[in-house]
Amino acid sequence: MTWAYHIEGFAKLFGVPVTYFFEDTTAQAVNNLLAMLNDLKAKQGVTPAQLHAQLESLSRLLESGITAEQVIAQLETLNRLNEAGITLDTLNRLEDAGVTNIATRAVGLSEQGLIAAAAMLDQVGRLEGLPTESKHDQP
């Protein structure tokens, strides 16, 4: 039984989920994130503390039930955003505004589910007097 405590300790130390040591898909997702974070470190001067925080965030996502495949898809999207010039600062501002919380909850929704979620957000925006320019408003 003490080996379980050691595994948990290693997972916490390295900021990875315990399943990293047992599931190939989880290990792949974490390794993909590490590669992406190291790329960000090299290109944008991301600090080791920021890297560790992002790795811990991924671990929480995996432990909450989001699959490694969904995380890998999101990592690929983040990589494309990075290549398009979306900076870590921009992503942090989105997170501070609560946008990333909503986006994370949308992971895994079908196309129809995403359309429905966007329509609901448009409706809430209209109720709050915000302008909407959604393609869902068009006939």
Side-chain angles (χ1 to χ4, degrees):
M1 184 144 170
T2 60
W3 63 270
Y5 293 116
H6 292 295
I7 297 293
E8 288 175 6
F10 283 128
K12 184 172 180 144
L13 175 68
F14 293 112
V16 299
V18 171
T19 55
Y20 176 83
F21 301 107
F22 305 105
E23 296 177 2
D24 290 340
T25 54
T26 300
Q28 180 184 4
V30 171
N31 291 338
N32 286 350
L33 176 68
L34 284 171
M36 188 180 80
L37 291 175
N38 280 324
D39 188 46
L40 285 172
K41 181 181 173 187
K43 291 181 180 176
Q44 298 180 7
V46 176
T47 68
Q50 290 170 319
L51 294 177
H52 192 74
Q54 290 300 318
L55 190 55
E56 287 177 331
S57 177
L58 170 71
S59 294
R60 285 190 300 276
L61 285 175
L62 291 170
E63 290 169 350
S64 74
I66 294 175
T67 68
E69 292 83 6
Q70 291 169 322
V71 172
I72 290 169
Q74 290 300 310
L75 293 177
E76 290 168 354
T77 299
L78 287 173
N79 194 37
R80 287 192 303 275
L81 288 172
N82 184 47
E83 290 171 357
I86 305 294
T87 66
L88 183 59
D89 182 52
T90 301
L91 293 175
N92 285 335
R93 284 185 303 201
L94 290 171
E95 183 173 11
D96 291 344
V99 174
T100 55
N101 181 25
I102 292 169
T104 301
R105 292 164 58 193
V107 171
L109 292 178
S110 66
E111 183 176 351
Q112 293 83 6
L114 291 172
I115 290 169
M120 286 182 228
L121 287 171
D122 289 344
Q123 181 62 25
V124 170
R126 282 191 290 277
L127 290 171
E128 294 189 358
L130 299 173
T132 60
E133 296 183 22
S134 173
K135 63 182 177 184
H136 305 292
D137 289 336
Q138 301 171 358

